[in-house]
Amino acid sequence: MSVLIKNGRIVTAVDDYHADIYIENETITVIGEKLEMDADTVLDASGKLVIPGGIDPHTHLDMPFGGAVSADDFETGTRAAAHGGTTTLVDFAIQTKGHSTIEALDTWHAKAEGKTAIDYGFHMIITDMEDTRLHEMRQLADDGVTSYKLFMAYPGVLYVDDGTIYRTMRKAGEDGTVICMHAENGIVIDEIVKEALAKGNTAPKYHSLTRPTRMEAEGVHRAISIAEVAGVPVYIVHLSSSDALEQVVLARDRGVHVFAETCPQYLFLDYSYYEKKGFEGAKYVMTPALREKWNQEELWRGLKMGDLQTIATDHCPFCFKEQKVLGKDDFSKIPNGAPGVENRMSMVYNGGVVAGRISINKFVELTSTAAAKTFGMFPKKGTIAIGTDADIVIFDPNRKETISVNNACTHHMNVDYNTYEGFEVTGFTETVLSRGKVVIENCEYKGTKGDGKFIKRSTYSGH
Ligand code: URP
Ligand code: ZN
Ligand code: ZN
């Protein structure tokens, strides 16, 4: 199988030039000007950007959480991701407390295998880590699971104490793997939640009002301090506020090995969404919560200056009518999470590049390259070069769309609302190749269930 992409403007995290790309089977084999080569498929990319497929290092598909299961499984979620120009995602396997992490990995392999439209990997969520289980972490790394997520939030559910955090971090550091941290002081937050409920404050907006940014900043500070002592790179997930970012900046200035991601919801939405009428605010109940609007420009500054390295989605969809409603009379029972995997590339291109906040190379770095480097997939993923996987997006920088659950081009996620309903974007995914196979063409899915493969990721290489 061969594909020739002609006349495109190739943009990577560092390059920007016009050339043709020749793909044989799954790999880019030739890049050059005006290539005259026979190919099974020829795609004309005149006037379009040709960029590395997006990498979303933070999704929750088919995830039991908050009394519900996230509404996208590995089939629907990866297909929606492909529509939006994402060709790789890293999801989370969850260790059941008291059980083996290897068992958890098997469970998540069974959920994903043979179902996905694009390639995928797993981080492992650790919920306990006895000394007797530490050896499993080496096996996970050998099996291509080279990062962990730990939670300082959600006491009684996913929360782990500082001792567990330290123990896990020490071993992860020895193995050359990375710790992803949900950094919020869940113990204090739960006390504030109890106070709110005791006063009869049950509406969705109290989800945000009970989670002060200072408690996120405290978690970030603590996570970084423990990681520094334990000797492991730490990656702060879904960083949402200026207070939290300040802690990352201070640590990086000190030379600590800390990275951080933010998400489109924290760049484009704000606290006012919780004030929507009725129960509408429940659509935006996610953790961390949406913040006051002024935080957004601080996050953009962090992205531009390199203190935040990636934009992931934390895609964790729950249907409004059937699932969010669990918290109708008590905001603390609303399943936490929101959809977004499909809309990330357009939202960031429009709000970043079109709005003049970041360069086009930075766009590629934030949505693809940096995640490939941090999570052991570079250079096979995250760039366009000879020998790399042909995960390629032909992106129309001028196409306008209005994101809506009712727009057949912008919503393929298995959920009854869109977080970015009504947002107008310039810049849209036109064609998507996943390891050389065209899987999306003009809003149509051309792939086959099970095209995607599990990626055995490498250990951290110090990028
Ligand atoms: O609200 C969220 N973010 N749900 C998913 C779980 C998590 O904390 O990432
Ligand atoms: Zn989290
Ligand atoms: Zn998450």
Side-chain angles (χ1 to χ4, degrees):
M1 191 182 70
S2 57
V3 180
L4 181 59
I5 304 175
K6 291 200 68 72
N7 310 316
R9 176 180 166 194
I10 300 173
V11 180
T12 69
V14 289
D15 307 303
D16 188 345
Y17 58 99
H18 284 83
D20 301 343
I21 296 176
Y22 190 71
I23 298 159
E24 286 171 275
N25 299 318
E26 301 186 348
T27 310
I28 296 174
T29 52
V30 184
I31 300 176
E33 279 185 83
K34 299 187 173 53
L35 296 180
E36 296 293 340
M37 299 170 84
D38 287 333
D40 300 324
T41 306
V42 179
L43 301 169
D44 182 15
S46 304
K48 310 284 159 58
L49 306 178
V50 179
I51 57 177
I55 299 177
D56 189 341
H58 189 157
T59 61
H60 301 277
L61 302 176
D62 200 357
M63 180 202 186
F65 194 49
V69 176
S70 60
D72 269 313
D73 64 11
F74 281 85
E75 182 180 357
T76 61
T78 57
R79 214 192 301 135
H83 274 284
T86 289
T87 53
T88 301
L89 45 86
V90 189
D91 205 89
F92 295 85
I94 308 178
Q95 176 201 18
T96 306
K97 251 191 190 62
H99 289 254
S100 149
T101 57
I102 309 300
E103 206 176 290
L105 182 59
D106 288 345
T107 304
W108 255 262
H109 273 311
K111 283 174 187 261
E113 216 172 311
K115 297 213 186 83
T116 71
I118 54 170
D119 290 351
Y120 61 97
F122 291 121
H123 311 280
M124 177 61 65
I125 291 176
I126 298 294
T127 54
D128 72 37
M129 186 46 71
E130 296 306 323
D131 285 341
T132 51
R133 208 181 286 297
L134 279 169
H135 67 277
E136 290 180 6
M137 292 175 66
R138 182 67 253 172
Q139 191 182 330
L140 289 172
D142 292 344
D143 291 346
V145 175
T146 52
S147 46
Y148 300 89
K149 186 175 177 188
L150 301 175
F151 287 81
M152 292 173 152
Y154 311 129
V157 187
L158 297 171
Y159 169 88
V160 282
D161 62 24
D162 288 353
T164 306
I165 290 172
Y166 174 74
R167 227 170 14 256
T168 309
M169 281 185 168
R170 283 278 292 166
K171 181 70 170 99
E174 268 171 40
D175 291 345
T177 55
V178 175
I179 294 290
C180 303
M181 184 63 82
H182 180 132
E184 270 188 309
N185 191 322
I187 299 286
V188 173
I189 286 169
D190 264 18
E191 291 298 319
I192 306 173
V193 168
K194 274 191 237 159
E195 286 169 10
L197 292 173
K199 286 187 201 144
N201 295 331
T202 58
K205 69 176 179 186
Y206 290 101
H207 173 72
S208 178
L209 296 173
T210 54
R211 309 186 90 87
T213 56
R214 191 45 55 200
M215 288 298 96
E216 185 185 17
E218 189 278 333
V220 170
H221 178 80
R222 186 157 37 102
I224 292 170
S225 304
I226 303 174
E228 191 178 355
V229 173
V232 68
V234 64
Y235 174 92
I236 307 295
V237 295
H238 49 44
L239 188 139
S240 68
S241 66
S242 171
D243 284 346
L245 177 58
E246 189 183 19
Q247 298 302 321
V248 172
V249 174
L250 286 171
R252 286 176 66 84
D253 286 352
R254 236 178 39 244
V256 185
H257 222 143
V258 51
F259 311 100
E261 97 188 354
T262 189
C263 311
Q265 53 269 36
Y266 304 118
L267 297 168
F268 300 111
L269 310 179
D270 61 76
Y271 171 76
S272 67
Y273 283 73
Y274 296 118
E275 299 275 9
K276 282 176 181 267
K277 66 174 177 357
F279 191 56
E280 281 287 292
K283 291 178 177 173
Y284 311 96
V285 167
M286 59 188 77
T287 307
L290 299 177
R291 307 304 191 182
E292 285 177 29
K293 196 167 177 58
W294 63 268
N295 285 276
Q296 294 173 358
E297 284 315 315
E298 294 297 312
L299 296 180
W300 280 111
R301 199 150 61 94
L303 290 165
K304 193 169 171 163
M305 302 309 290
D307 291 311
L308 292 165
Q309 288 74 36
T310 53
I311 303 179
T313 60
D314 194 9
H315 176 78
C316 189
F318 294 103
C319 290
F320 181 62
K321 289 200 189 93
E322 281 162 22
Q323 298 182 299
K324 291 283 186 179
V325 76
L326 289 170
K328 192 103 188 81
D329 304 315
D330 175 350
F331 70 90
S332 72
K333 296 198 165 61
I334 300 170
N336 284 205
V341 75
E342 184 167 356
N343 307 116
R344 179 182 68 132
M345 301 293 273
S346 280
M347 286 296 293
V348 177
Y349 188 84
N350 182 71
V353 181
V354 177
R357 290 180 173 116
I358 53 170
S359 72
I360 201 161
N361 299 106
K362 190 76 179 173
F363 164 71
V364 172
E365 185 183 318
L366 293 170
T367 57
S368 181
T369 317
K373 288 182 176 176
T374 305
F375 293 114
M377 296 180 280
F378 189 83
K380 239 174 136 49
K381 308 281 188 198
T383 194
I384 291 178
I386 291 168
T388 65
D389 279 359
D391 289 350
I392 294 174
V393 171
I394 302 179
F395 192 83
D396 185 343
N398 300 311
R399 178 159 158 188
K400 293 182 192 309
E401 288 286 345
T402 302
I403 295 177
S404 171
V405 71
N406 298 313
N407 179 346
C409 279
T410 65
H411 192 102
H412 299 83
M413 298 171 287
N414 186 37
V415 56
D416 59 356
Y417 74 98
N418 191 300
T419 316
Y420 306 105
E421 184 69 35
F423 272 72
E424 289 174 13
V425 290
T426 299
F428 203 74
T429 295
E430 188 184 271
T431 307
V432 178
L433 289 87
S434 171
R435 272 183 290 100
K437 178 171 178 177
V438 175
V439 290
I440 302 292
E441 212 168 12
N442 264 321
C443 302
E444 260 186 63
Y445 177 57
K446 303 277 184 187
T448 311
K449 180 177 165 180
D451 280 340
K453 280 193 194 148
F454 173 70
I455 308 157
K456 274 183 94 166
R457 295 180 292 115
S458 309
T459 50
Y460 180 68
S461 57
H463 279 104

